[in-house]
Amino acid sequence: TTLEGGKSYKVWDVLKDNHPESNEHKPFKPGTAAAGNAVCWTCKSTDLMLDWAYLGEKHPEAKFSRQSNVVDVMRSINHAVNCNFCHDPHSTQPRIVRDGLIQALTRTDIPSLYSEDPKATKINVIDMGVRGFTRKIATMEKADSKLMCAQCHVEYNCNPGFDPKTGKAIGMSDVRTNLFPMVDVTKIDEFYAKVGFKDFKHNVTGAALTKMQHPDVETYWNSTHDKAGVGCADCHMPKMKDKKTGKVYTSHWSTTPRHYMKQTCLQCHKDKTEKQLNRVIDGMKGYYDGKLREAESRMTDMFNAFDLALAMGVSDEVLNQARELHSVAHTNWEWWTAVNGAWFHNPQAAQLSLAKSADAAQKATKILRDAIAAKNKK
């Protein structure tokens, strides 16, 4: 980590440990739950690479696993995201180190965006198990920022949950707690149904739901810009020219392209100005927000209907029909609240999916209200 004055520090040189007396993972704020586990840190740092078996499986030779105490893991970490996530430290060859992504890209049982893309960059998976346990990296035939970014900017599961088929709890010992689906919003429910995983039950409706993370790469895949051959790095890591030397380099700031539109948007949209493009982006955001609020409004109606239906003693058969629709409405809403820059990365997919959310919520509301009306007639 580099702070003021250009000096580099280790994380624990600048962090304050509020509870040095124990390794208990405590909530950050009163009234909130503690959130974090060992799997989280495989996206935040590569410091675990040498002490972590493939997919975080427990092994006597590996210091940490999915089941490790997150505070113990954190105290062993000193570096944030750095070069060796995406580049071999010796040759700079482009690579992938995140085990969940390697599994997703090599999966053969369930199709993925990668497996169904004939233009996808080829990878070569290498077993690095020289320490007595399996570890893997994957080198790429060419630099592909879409895959590099997919090491973290994806929908994934890293938490306990339950199997909706059996109701049985799924804990961190289960490999499903380090899982990358790598499918788009139209197939995510089908994926989790096949692997048998749900995150939680809604405390009002009782519907089994999935907690989305940040499916940025899956959303971008097959979008207008993706089909045009624009990669993540073209907009978020553009080529820049050093003001002093004139040397061209790749920016690793990885921020919004609105900070440097001359080097990003205007490289292709040469007939436009920064002002015009900013207005277009703002307009896209406004339109998207409207669709999001519409889906939320329909779900609010649905929640109100659930409250009344439960109070009226509506049958489980009717409630379960509505719960299935709630799950559809939830998925097609939460995906878009979890993804970054949805209104720009794939506005067409967002519009269709949010419409599906609103429609499912309306159908659930009608089923419940009809059942309530039937009860009132008796």
Side-chain angles (χ1 to χ4, degrees):
T1 304
T2 302
L3 299 178
E4 55 181 312
K7 182 180 178 182
S8 292
Y9 300 81
K10 291 184 177 180
V11 169
W12 284 102
D13 290 339
V14 293
L15 283 183
K16 178 185 177 184
D17 189 350
N18 288 326
H19 301 283
E21 74 286 351
S22 74
N23 66 349
E24 181 184 352
H25 180 32
K26 299 183 179 182
F28 295 105
K29 294 180 179 180
T32 64
N37 59 59
V39 177
C40 301
W41 288 98
T42 57
C43 266
K44 312 301 181 188
S45 171
T46 52
D47 283 7
L48 298 180
M49 281 180 63
L50 302 181
D51 298 316
W52 180 270
Y54 183 59
L55 296 176
E57 292 283 56
K58 201 169 187 177
H59 191 282
E61 300 296 323
K63 184 177 179 181
F64 296 116
S65 74
R66 293 189 304 271
Q67 300 175 66
S68 294
N69 182 294
V70 67
V71 178
D72 289 339
V73 172
M74 185 58 202
R75 285 177 174 158
S76 295
I77 291 175
N78 271 306
H79 306 91
V81 176
N82 55 23
C83 312
N84 65 3
F85 253 101
C86 300
H87 300 282
D88 182 275
H90 305 289
S91 67
T92 72
Q93 182 178 13
R95 72 175 189 177
I96 298 163
V97 299
R98 183 68 174 87
D99 50 12
L101 179 60
I102 293 172
Q103 182 193 49
L105 299 185
T106 55
R107 191 174 63 228
T108 58
D109 55 340
I110 304 175
S112 67
L113 286 164
Y114 178 81
S115 68
E116 294 183 322
D117 185 351
K119 296 181 180 179
T121 299
K122 292 182 175 60
I123 63 169
N124 177 40
V125 179
I126 303 168
D127 189 337
M128 302 292 287
V130 295
R131 290 178 169 246
F133 53 87
T134 300
R135 295 186 301 119
K136 295 182 182 182
I137 65 167
T139 58
M140 289 181 271
E141 63 176 343
K142 61 180 180 180
D144 185 340
S145 58
K146 198 161 64 173
L147 294 185
M148 290 169 168
C149 296
Q151 295 189 86
C152 298
H153 285 267
V154 291
E155 155 58 16
Y156 65 93
N157 182 56
C158 68
N159 280 311
F162 67 96
D163 189 328
K165 301 170 188 173
T166 64
K168 186 178 178 181
I170 295 172
M172 295 305 294
S173 62
D174 193 301
V175 74
R176 283 173 288 185
T177 57
N178 186 3
L179 183 65
F180 283 29
M182 280 303 290
V183 298
D184 65 23
V185 68
T186 66
K187 296 180 179 178
I188 191 65
D189 278 337
E190 180 185 354
F191 175 88
Y192 280 121
K194 284 182 179 178
V195 301
F197 186 90
K198 284 289 184 180
D199 285 273
F200 68 102
K201 285 189 176 181
H202 195 272
N203 62 357
V204 172
T205 71
L209 304 177
T210 301
K211 172 69 184 77
M212 298 297 173
Q213 309 305 324
H214 29 59
D216 306 331
V217 168
E218 303 98 301
T219 295
Y220 187 69
W221 214 297
N222 293 323
S223 66
T224 299
H225 281 90
D226 181 38
K227 289 177 180 178
V230 179
C232 307
D234 293 316
C235 296
H236 296 284
M237 300 174 67
K239 299 296 182 184
M240 308 286 284
K241 183 178 287 188
D242 187 278
K243 294 180 180 179
K244 292 183 179 179
T245 66
K247 184 178 179 180
V248 176
Y249 65 95
T250 300
S251 170
H252 279 63
W253 189 17
S254 299
T255 185
T256 170
R258 298 181 85 167
H259 287 307
Y260 31 48
M261 296 186 76
K262 289 180 181 178
Q263 291 81 14
T264 55
C265 307
L266 292 170
Q267 291 296 306
C268 295
H269 300 280
K270 298 181 184 295
D271 60 330
K272 303 292 189 297
T273 65
E274 284 189 49
K275 185 177 181 180
Q276 287 175 316
L277 290 172
N278 271 307
R279 290 181 67 181
V280 168
I281 295 170
D282 287 340
M284 293 167 72
K285 175 68 163 58
Y287 183 80
Y288 161 85
D289 283 345
K291 296 298 181 183
L292 192 65
R293 299 290 91 82
E294 181 180 356
E296 290 168 352
S297 176
R298 300 294 177 265
M299 284 198 289
T300 297
D301 292 339
M302 177 187 67
F303 294 138
N304 291 336
F306 261 108
D307 274 336
L308 187 54
L310 289 165
M312 294 281 292
V314 167
S315 71
D316 284 340
E317 181 183 358
V318 171
L319 290 172
N320 287 334
Q321 289 178 36
R323 285 167 181 148
E324 289 294 325
L325 288 164
H326 177 199
S327 182
V328 173
H330 171 85
T331 293
N332 288 277
W333 162 77
E334 175 144 306
W335 180 281
W336 303 104
T337 64
V339 69
N340 292 290
W343 62 90
F344 185 86
H345 286 152
N346 202 330
Q348 294 86 357
Q351 181 179 345
L352 290 171
S353 182
L354 287 167
K356 187 176 180 180
S357 172
D359 180 64
Q362 284 181 299
K363 287 178 178 176
T365 301
K366 185 178 187 307
I367 287 172
L368 293 168
R369 286 177 175 170
D370 286 350
I372 293 167
K375 278 267 186 184
N376 284 330
K377 286 181 179 178
K378 292 182 180 179

